[in-house]
Amino acid sequence: MHVRAILTTMCALGLGAVAMGAAPEHFQPRAKELLTDSIELIPSEHQLNVIYFVGNDREPVADHERRLSELLLYLQQYYGKEMARNGLGAHSFGLTMQENGNVLIHLVKGKKPHTEYAYGTGHNACLEEVNAYLDAVPGRRTSQHTFVIMPTHYDEQYNDLNPGGVPFYGLGTNCFALDYAHFDIQHIGKPTKEGRLLTKWYGGFAHELGHGLNLPHNKGTYSQNAALGTALMGAGNYTFGISPTYITLPSCRILEHSELFVPKGTTTKFYTQHHTPAIRTATFKRVGDALELYLESDSNVVNVNAYIQDPPFRVNQDYDAVPFTCRMSKTPTGGSAAYAIIPLSELVELKNIKGGTTALDILLQTHEGSRFRWRFPFNLSKVPADGNIEMGTPVIHRGY
Ligand code: ZN
């Protein structure tokens, strides 16, 4: 009912909705079944560039277009349903469709053998060729977001039952995932070798795409995890397809201002703000059983997300970050401000919250999708109730 109500509102605004059709005839029965409860997605202005990249000595894994189309369309529905559940409307990442109902997946053959595009550094050579391909024909590039899928290596280490060897991570607006013979939605949720393998690699596919759509790691609050399962951008890549896996509201707020999620007709130029907004005022207080955060920025920032996590404070050590989000309201001087209350009961899964150093990360997001992130270490046990927390010297990241 909730989804319907949102859609009605959006339609009344003239944004229209994607007509739901039956899944294409050539899709597998399980894919058709999974797509029957599809919701109407609000059409998006921009589409994900989907690339299937192989070395000059390799061919795609059999039936890759059908398999990956089913997996991508199911994932598009999943993201759209999570946006709607979070009250932000049935927006999802745009995909370019072919007449036969498959997703347009560009097949790009590399100039070098597949071993030159391996995990670790191979993404550089790959992206260079992919970008040249996308820019060779006007209109071919449909957004700034590119998803590259490469077939697994086949050698003494890797095969269809142990795929790997290729890049598998997000890098800015690009992300990488892999393909193998059993990468087929018909195995989803099955207690078989192929089913467990699918959760690992499809969960990873969904999670890496999240990074490519601007999402940082976060695991959800204590109460959300109890009610909704595992956050996709936490450990959800291990649960997707076998147990409840969700996208947190702070993540969805970021997606709302991601280039791929905006509705048709949006004219905003994305990711063009290069100066870091200044934080004019920031106070962080313990008041009884909660933390209170007040922020004022000199820029017109739309969202503030706050993430609290245990150490270590390094890249890919932030799967445990507990997220909160707040809309920024405009101030009379052209800036923006937000006031957020963080109940300590939501932080009980953090080891250091009772003693030791934790970090507060503040992520400011602008209307055109740029994100700026500050990190403030703090020790809650040293703060008297109703006392101000020393915010320390921030570490600033951009687009992180
Ligand atoms: Zn990740």
Side-chain angles (χ1 to χ4, degrees):
M1 282 309 285
H2 189 49
V3 172
R4 229 10 102 178
I6 291 160
L7 280 172
T8 309
T9 314
M10 297 310 282
C11 290
L13 292 171
L15 296 174
V18 172
M20 277 187 299
E25 202 45 48
H26 67 279
F27 276 20
Q28 291 298 296
R30 183 69 179 128
K32 290 180 184 167
E33 192 186 323
L34 287 166
L35 290 169
T36 48
D37 70 342
S38 292
I39 59 167
E40 293 183 18
L41 298 174
I42 297 160
S44 48
E45 176 67 16
H46 305 282
Q47 288 77 40
L48 180 67
N49 308 300
V50 184
I51 306 286
Y52 198 95
F53 187 90
V54 294
N56 64 6
D57 54 345
R58 294 289 308 276
E59 293 299 326
V61 180
D63 215 6
H64 77 284
E65 273 205 43
R66 192 268 306 162
R67 288 183 295 98
L68 291 169
S69 292
E70 292 172 357
L71 291 161
L72 282 163
L73 288 171
Y74 182 76
L75 201 53
Q76 187 188 38
Q77 279 289 318
Y78 171 77
Y79 271 81
K81 287 174 182 175
E82 284 300 288
M83 288 291 282
R85 182 186 61 74
N86 276 296
L88 300 176
H91 296 275
S92 192
F93 54 89
L95 291 169
T96 307
M97 302 305 298
Q98 300 190 71
E99 260 179 38
N100 66 359
N102 279 346
V103 174
L104 177 61
I105 300 170
H106 299 278
L107 177 60
V108 179
K109 199 141 197 170
K111 293 178 182 150
K112 298 185 268 192
H114 71 282
T115 47
E116 298 292 315
Y117 307 103
Y119 186 93
T121 55
H123 57 270
N124 292 318
C126 168
L127 277 181
E128 204 173 295
E129 293 185 43
V130 165
N131 285 327
Y133 167 85
L134 287 173
D135 293 332
V137 175
R140 185 181 272 168
R141 182 190 288 280
T142 49
S143 71
Q144 298 175 64
H145 295 263
T146 301
F147 192 13
V148 181
I149 301 156
M150 291 193 209
T152 173
H153 286 186
Y154 295 97
D155 51 30
E156 59 286 346
Q157 191 178 1
Y158 299 115
N159 54 60
D160 284 320
L161 287 173
N162 183 33
V166 299
F168 201 92
Y169 30 74
L171 283 170
T173 53
N174 302 304
C175 55
F176 294 83
L178 60 70
D179 188 29
Y180 61 98
H182 312 297
F183 197 43
D184 193 316
I185 206 160
Q186 64 174 295
H187 299 299
I188 197 167
K190 287 193 181 161
T192 57
K193 194 175 226 180
E194 290 84 357
R196 285 187 290 275
L197 206 56
L198 189 82
T199 282
K200 178 176 176 185
W201 294 106
Y202 193 25
F205 187 92
H207 176 108
E208 297 312 327
L209 178 60
H211 286 312
L213 298 171
N214 303 341
L215 297 183
H217 289 133
N218 65 109
K219 74 171 278 190
T221 60
Y222 179 74
S223 62
Q224 282 175 323
N225 292 334
L228 300 168
T230 309
L232 179 66
M233 298 313 291
N237 45 337
Y238 299 105
T239 59
F240 191 79
I242 49 169
S243 64
T245 304
Y246 73 103
I247 305 180
T248 63
L249 174 62
S251 287
C252 285
R253 287 266 175 87
I254 291 176
L255 294 177
E256 194 183 20
H257 292 276
S258 162
E259 185 187 29
L260 288 184
F261 281 68
V262 296
K264 213 161 188 52
T266 304
T267 54
T268 307
K269 297 269 177 274
F270 278 80
Y271 320 131
T272 50
Q273 175 162 330
H274 299 298
H275 74 272
T276 304
I279 295 182
R280 196 187 286 150
T281 309
T283 60
F284 190 39
K285 270 199 283 193
R286 178 177 183 165
V287 180
D289 291 333
L291 300 172
E292 290 185 4
L293 174 67
Y294 176 76
L295 269 187
E296 226 179 286
S297 170
D298 66 339
S299 297
N300 189 7
V301 171
V302 287
N303 287 323
V304 55
N305 282 1
Y307 300 88
I308 299 183
Q309 66 166 107
D310 275 330
F313 308 127
R314 287 195 297 272
V315 173
N316 285 340
Q317 301 289 333
D318 53 355
Y319 294 94
D320 63 332
V322 185
F324 302 87
T325 187
C326 191
R327 300 277 194 209
M328 297 284 275
S329 20
K330 286 184 187 177
T331 59
T333 51
S336 48
Y339 173 72
I341 294 179
I342 298 169
L344 287 172
S345 59
E346 298 291 9
L347 302 175
V348 291
E349 288 172 317
L350 294 176
K351 283 196 297 290
N352 279 9
I353 204 69
K354 290 200 180 88
T357 304
T358 45
L360 163 73
D361 274 25
I362 291 170
L363 181 149
L364 299 186
Q365 186 180 27
T366 62
H367 175 70
E368 46 70 79
S370 296
R371 282 101 48 230
F372 302 88
R373 187 162 173 157
W374 290 256
R375 174 161 299 154
F376 300 96
F378 70 95
N379 189 328
L380 187 65
S381 64
K382 293 189 178 158
V383 181
D386 299 352
N388 265 306
I389 294 168
E390 179 55 58
M391 294 193 78
T393 309
V395 181
I396 302 179
H397 312 271
R398 178 163 194 275
Y400 169 69

